[in-house]
Amino acid sequence: MNINALAYVLFVMAIFVVHFLFFLRHSPHILPKKLFFAGVVGWCVFIAYDRNLASAIWGLLLLCVLTFGYANASAFLRRGITFALIQNHRMPPAERLPDESFIQIRERITEMENHGWIENGAAQVVLTPTGRKTLRIYRFILRVLGAEVVG
Amino acid sequence: MSGVFAIDGELWIGFLAATIGVVVSEVIGRGRVLYGRLFLLVGVTVAAWATLRLLGRPRSPEMWVGSLLIDAVSIGAALLAWFGFRVHLSNSITLNLLTMLEDSPTPDQLEGRYGIASQTRKRVAVLQDSGYLDRTPEQMLVINPKSRLVLAILKIARGNRVRPL
């Protein structure tokens, strides 16, 4: 067993757990850049001690995969309509919002505009070349994985 | 085996097992919804991991604990990333809307195409079917112990905010 790798794993786990417990709810961002940076610092210390290329690649891959998974999971928890519906039904009936109000198509249009996928969507929603390319890639991945769109 | 592989190859066992699990579950479970083949994904990953570990050199119990932790974190990270990616692909409202834009609709037309009311009903029905919401005799939907557990996790991730981020 690689003791340096074990110390690195414990460090990475610790910073992610601390971020989840104390910082996630206050963060306006989906991608935790500061958390990733803290992980990179840990990785630098790890490779300084370990001095092995295979360990270094594994360590960086672990950090990237964990950050991607964490960002996805936190986005799912924080932006998920289904979770918002559960929270809504926790409220007394008089204080509940209409369930339909959680799906905001106009906000999604703005989001697509910010990504550069569509041109100004005020009157008509028109795909940009980037949007068409994204759509082609999306459909290709769906076809390869045999996935169905249900969102 | 070369020196590098002999010393550090074991660090890759977790990722390798997760990759085998993902590929096998995608091939065998093709066409089935992701949640329906979660057990297949986890089962194949654990089987692949156990096989790879048994093929490795025998080690002392204290070394097993450390290796187990490294493997568990590697597997957990890989499966979390893959699961999140797959769920996002199928469930993203924004990506779904992107597929409805080829004839440049107006925002109102897009809202009509998406069908907010029916999508909401579908989501509420799924929550009910999965046991997260109960219907009272007065036809009111209420939370239950199962959903309270989810709410405890949500409180950490998003506070008590009802609206999505």
Side-chain angles (χ1 to χ4, degrees):
Chain A
M1 183 194 60
N2 184 331
I3 197 76
N4 295 323
L6 181 60
Y8 173 66
V9 161
L10 289 172
F11 170 76
V12 168
M13 285 309 296
I15 60 172
F16 274 84
V17 168
V18 167
H19 188 272
F20 178 72
L21 291 177
F22 302 108
F23 298 104
L24 181 62
R25 87 189 73 156
H26 307 296
S27 170
H29 308 292
I30 292 298
L31 195 68
K33 287 181 195 156
K34 285 179 187 165
L35 177 64
F36 184 72
F37 180 72
V40 169
V41 172
W43 177 74
C44 290
V45 175
F46 166 54
I47 58 171
Y49 275 93
D50 206 70
R51 293 176 180 277
N52 180 289
L53 184 64
S55 302
I57 297 170
W58 167 82
L60 193 59
L61 187 67
L62 178 72
L63 183 61
C64 292
V65 167
L66 197 56
T67 305
F68 178 75
Y70 181 76
N72 243 322
S74 63
F76 188 51
L77 284 171
R78 298 166 79 202
R79 297 187 58 183
I81 306 294
T82 306
F83 292 121
L85 290 173
I86 296 178
Q87 281 191 311
N88 192 37
H89 284 274
R90 177 203 60 193
M91 312 293 279
E95 292 174 31
R96 286 181 196 174
L97 297 167
D99 284 337
E100 290 80 11
S101 71
F102 289 97
I103 301 179
Q104 296 283 339
I105 300 296
R106 307 277 166 158
E107 282 177 17
R108 304 288 172 159
I109 291 174
T110 309
E111 191 183 334
M112 286 192 276
E113 221 175 292
N114 293 339
H115 289 327
W117 294 351
I118 57 167
E119 289 165 15
N120 187 333
Q124 211 174 3
V125 190
V126 183
L127 282 169
T128 60
T130 311
R132 288 192 184 280
K133 199 173 160 188
T134 307
L135 180 58
R136 272 201 304 275
I137 294 169
Y138 178 51
R139 286 204 166 126
F140 174 75
I141 297 172
L142 286 176
R143 205 170 45 243
V144 168
L145 294 175
E148 208 180 308
V149 182
V150 292
Chain B
M1 282 191 291
S2 72
V4 169
F5 187 79
I7 294 165
D8 294 298
E10 73 160 326
L11 288 178
W12 293 88
I13 285 177
F15 281 145
L16 188 57
T19 306
I20 293 169
V22 166
V23 171
V24 170
S25 78
E26 286 299 326
V27 172
I28 295 178
R30 193 176 169 83
R32 281 162 60 192
V33 291
L34 190 62
Y35 297 104
R37 53 192 161 89
L38 203 56
F39 282 113
L40 178 67
L41 172 64
V42 175
V44 173
T45 302
V46 171
W49 169 79
T51 308
L52 290 167
R53 272 285 161 213
L54 288 173
L55 289 175
R57 291 167 298 173
R59 54 198 68 244
S60 59
E62 62 269 23
M63 287 177 89
W64 258 106
V65 175
S67 300
L68 198 67
L69 186 70
I70 291 171
D71 289 351
V73 172
S74 299
I75 289 173
L79 293 190
L80 183 70
W82 177 252
F83 190 74
F85 173 71
R86 281 295 263 115
V87 167
H88 189 71
L89 268 185
S90 302
N91 290 20
S92 165
I93 294 175
T94 310
L95 287 173
N96 190 2
L97 290 175
L98 193 66
T99 65
M100 301 173 184
L101 301 178
E102 276 170 311
D103 60 344
S104 309
T106 64
D108 287 337
Q109 284 173 325
L110 188 58
E111 277 185 353
R113 278 180 199 178
Y114 183 76
I116 294 174
S118 65
Q119 286 283 354
T120 308
R121 276 197 301 275
K122 212 187 323 180
R123 282 165 195 263
V124 171
V126 167
L127 281 173
Q128 232 184 311
D129 293 344
S130 335
Y132 290 99
L133 290 177
D134 291 341
R135 197 174 281 280
T136 64
E138 298 81 31
Q139 297 302 304
M140 180 73 70
L141 284 170
V142 291
I143 58 169
N144 56 29
K146 195 174 170 182
S147 44
R148 274 193 195 94
L149 191 68
V150 176
L151 285 169
I153 298 168
L154 286 177
K155 195 175 176 183
I156 297 171
R158 58 198 265 176
N160 283 323
R161 187 181 58 241
V162 173
R163 280 219 162 273
L165 178 74

